[in-house]
Amino acid sequence: MSKKLFIKTYGCQMNVYDSARMADVLAPLGYTPAEGPEDADMVVLNTCHIREKAEEKVFSELGRLKPLKIEREKAGGRMILAVAGCVAQAEGAEILSRAPFVDLVLGPQTYHRLPEMVARVTRAAGAVLDTEFPAEAKFDFLPETTSSKGVSAFLSIQEGCDKFCTFCVVPYTRGAEFSRPAQSVLAEARRLVAAGVRELTLLGQNVNAYHGASPEGGEWGLGRLIRALAEVPDLARIRYMTSHPLDVDEALISAHREVPQLMPFLHLPVQSGSDRVLEAMNRRHRADDFRRLIERFRAARPDIAFSSDFIVGFPGETDEDFEATMALCREVGFAQAFSFKYSPRPGTPAAGFPRQIAEAVQSERLDRLQELLTSQQRAFNEACIGRELPVLFERRGRHEGQLVGRSPYLQGVHVTAPADGLGRIRQVRIQRVDRNSLGGELVS
Ligand code: 5AD
Ligand code: SF4
């Protein structure tokens, strides 16, 4: 019997990947995608716990879903409501008490058990809570990727984190660091490429801590894995995220020098430019270490561009600390970046630190930092005008005869081009910067 499934995804790319895998495990039970929650027999909220705002969104979405579910039951039907992801992992019991109409709460390591949990829910009354931490099992038991993935796909190679930055919930919600064996990554990559994928983004909370079992015995790091992936025919582009500066090694830097498929664009969160704050965050490197890393990447690959994450208003951050962050940004020059006000997360060390920063101060610092980062992004985009960039076309544009693709720097690029360009890389001369993308013409 055909049933409809609606998954709403919050947060990081890992969640986007996990949502696709949840759809894969539920497909054999007859679940096909729904347009929206209104016509769904099962709704999954795949949640994010990283900052407080992300968590609140989940509870307000649950509030909106409740009447839909009640209505359905009045009409004699049923809507299974599941909360997955990191809020489920961290706040499982809280969800069931604040939102008792939720049927299923499941942590990120339990998705392979989803069919069994759905079966239990359909039989039994009362909600099911499954947020255990058997890390390794998940990759082994999820089915092979099935659905067609388009031109660009994510491939999860590593999960969890052992770094314990003092602000971060990930080590608690995603558990200990675990790397998937290289063989199974390569096999999934080949399957995806056979299905038409041309660009892979390797995912992991701490992706460059990757140390998967190698096909020859021993372990491979990320640099070695990338070299092996570069041998998969027709795989044109490789990316990875998210990295930690501490785990960058020479093998990874030389992969950037020598593997042409590896894109010259790197998301490398630094969080702060102040050594004092970096230490309080337990980042385990100094601002100068980050500067040196940037130099090494640039020496290996002169056209590389960087993206980063920043937290402002971390407990104890002084004006001087914040100015050090601004100075680091000015020196490095980011093509793109994400910046956030520090948000205390229950159970993390920094939530209990003295000298929490007033909201007004946080806002003022965030505004200043974002103004700087936005101007750097604009400058980077404008510097692309007149350049020829290889663009991988992913889909048709809104206008007739238009294709949309991505530059090596993940910029969206709109071009008038024949439809047979889809899935291909073409040289494009960049002519203009639009609001969130670039425009250009094919180089004949
Ligand atoms: N408060 C603010 N930002 C946070 N991040 C992670 N935890 C917090 C927090 N408690 C940010 C970091 C991280 C990104 C994914 O989210 O910058 O790199
Ligand atoms: Fe969180 Fe730090 Fe691990 Fe990144 S490295 S996931 S910020 S604990």
Side-chain angles (χ1 to χ4, degrees):
M1 205 184 78
S2 167
K3 286 165 283 190
K4 294 279 184 192
L5 170 68
F6 183 73
I7 305 184
K8 180 157 180 170
T9 308
Y10 301 82
C12 65
Q13 301 305 342
M14 185 66 85
N15 272 7
V16 175
Y17 179 85
D18 281 343
S19 291
R21 307 316 300 279
M22 283 191 259
D24 286 342
V25 269
L26 289 171
L29 296 190
Y31 284 97
T32 55
E35 291 284 313
E38 301 77 19
D39 59 332
D41 302 286
M42 175 162 179
V43 176
V44 181
L45 303 184
N46 193 6
T47 63
C48 173
H49 196 236
I50 200 106
R51 287 170 295 275
E52 193 180 1
K53 255 193 210 153
E55 184 181 344
E56 270 160 17
K57 277 192 206 154
V58 175
F59 283 103
S60 50
E61 184 64 28
L62 284 173
R64 279 192 290 275
L65 289 169
K66 184 180 176 183
L68 281 183
K69 186 177 158 83
I70 291 173
E71 217 173 281
R72 179 72 63 89
E73 270 154 27
K74 274 196 194 133
R78 172 110 213 240
M79 176 196 278
I80 298 178
L81 188 52
V83 179
C86 296
V87 175
Q89 182 66 43
E91 311 278 352
E94 162 108 9
I95 293 169
L96 291 180
S97 73
R98 269 177 77 178
F101 49 94
V102 167
D103 299 290
L104 204 56
V105 176
L106 56 149
Q109 306 307 334
T110 63
Y111 299 151
H112 55 287
R113 294 208 293 267
L114 196 49
E116 169 203 326
M117 286 187 265
V118 170
R120 261 155 65 195
V121 168
T122 31
R123 265 182 257 121
V128 177
L129 178 66
D130 195 342
T131 54
E132 274 168 51
F133 254 147
E136 304 80 41
K138 178 176 160 185
F139 285 128
D140 295 345
F141 291 110
L142 282 172
E144 295 179 354
T145 335
T146 45
S147 34
S148 154
K149 295 290 175 192
V151 172
S152 183
F154 297 119
L155 202 176
S156 174
I157 67 167
Q158 180 278 340
E159 202 166 341
C161 181
D162 294 334
K163 293 279 187 304
F164 291 92
C165 299
T166 54
F167 53 81
C168 184
V169 288
V170 166
Y172 311 96
T173 53
R174 289 279 173 165
E177 211 270 292
F178 170 77
S179 295
R180 220 171 142 179
Q183 283 290 28
S184 109
V185 173
L186 288 168
E188 185 168 350
R190 288 191 202 99
R191 269 196 306 276
L192 288 165
V193 172
V197 167
R198 292 293 166 267
E199 174 179 85
L200 282 177
T201 303
L202 310 177
L203 289 183
Q205 269 91 23
N206 222 205
V207 73
N208 62 331
Y210 179 82
H211 58 103
S214 100
E216 311 129 359
E219 288 183 344
W220 278 359
L222 181 59
R224 181 67 190 83
L225 180 70
I226 287 170
R227 281 173 198 275
L229 283 166
E231 282 164 26
V232 175
D234 295 328
L235 177 57
R237 289 181 164 186
I238 302 170
R239 305 177 184 276
Y240 57 93
M241 67 180 202
T242 296
S243 297
H244 192 297
L246 207 62
D247 292 315
V248 173
D249 61 9
E250 192 49 43
L252 185 58
I253 293 182
S254 63
H256 277 277
R257 183 184 299 114
E258 288 152 23
V259 178
Q261 295 94 325
L262 187 55
M263 288 295 98
F265 184 65
L266 179 57
H267 182 62
L268 191 62
V270 63
Q271 315 296 357
S272 169
S274 153
D275 289 345
R276 241 179 327 180
V277 173
L278 287 170
E279 185 169 358
M281 287 176 165
N282 190 32
R283 292 292 288 179
R284 294 187 270 166
H285 67 81
R286 282 159 306 163
D288 276 348
D289 300 322
F290 183 81
R291 289 183 178 89
R292 268 193 294 276
L293 272 186
I294 298 286
E295 276 167 28
R296 284 168 67 200
F297 276 114
R298 284 188 168 143
R301 183 80 207 234
D303 61 344
I304 199 167
F306 295 94
S307 148
S308 198
D309 291 343
F310 296 88
I311 297 177
V312 303
F314 187 78
E317 186 187 71
T318 61
D319 285 336
E320 191 188 342
D321 293 322
F322 175 67
E323 292 308 328
T325 300
M326 295 289 282
L328 180 84
C329 290
R330 284 190 206 100
E331 282 164 54
V332 173
F334 291 97
Q336 192 228 310
F338 304 96
S339 45
F340 314 99
K341 292 182 213 175
Y342 169 69
S343 161
R345 308 308 294 131
T348 59
F353 283 1
R355 298 197 291 143
Q356 300 280 329
I357 304 297
E359 162 88 31
V361 175
Q362 288 186 322
S363 298
E364 191 206 322
R365 289 180 186 164
L366 187 67
D367 287 348
R368 280 189 57 207
L369 180 61
Q370 290 190 337
E371 193 183 325
L372 174 61
L373 292 168
T374 310
S375 73
Q376 292 191 338
Q377 177 167 13
R378 204 179 313 121
F380 180 81
N381 287 340
E382 276 163 10
C384 291
I385 294 175
R387 277 179 77 182
E388 279 180 23
L389 294 177
V391 172
L392 172 60
F393 288 109
E394 294 180 4
R395 58 186 171 85
R396 285 168 203 275
R398 221 171 297 148
H399 301 290
E400 185 71 26
Q402 192 187 49
L403 295 184
V404 188
R406 290 203 180 266
S407 78
Y409 306 111
L410 279 181
Q411 298 145 304
V413 186
H414 295 256
V415 183
T416 302
D420 67 356
L422 278 177
R424 300 219 164 90
I425 295 176
R426 296 271 187 261
Q427 285 299 115
V428 172
R429 187 172 303 103
I430 305 301
Q431 296 168 313
R432 56 175 202 281
V433 179
D434 302 329
R435 250 165 59 87
N436 293 311
S437 62
L438 306 178
E441 61 174 9
L442 287 182
V443 177
S444 46

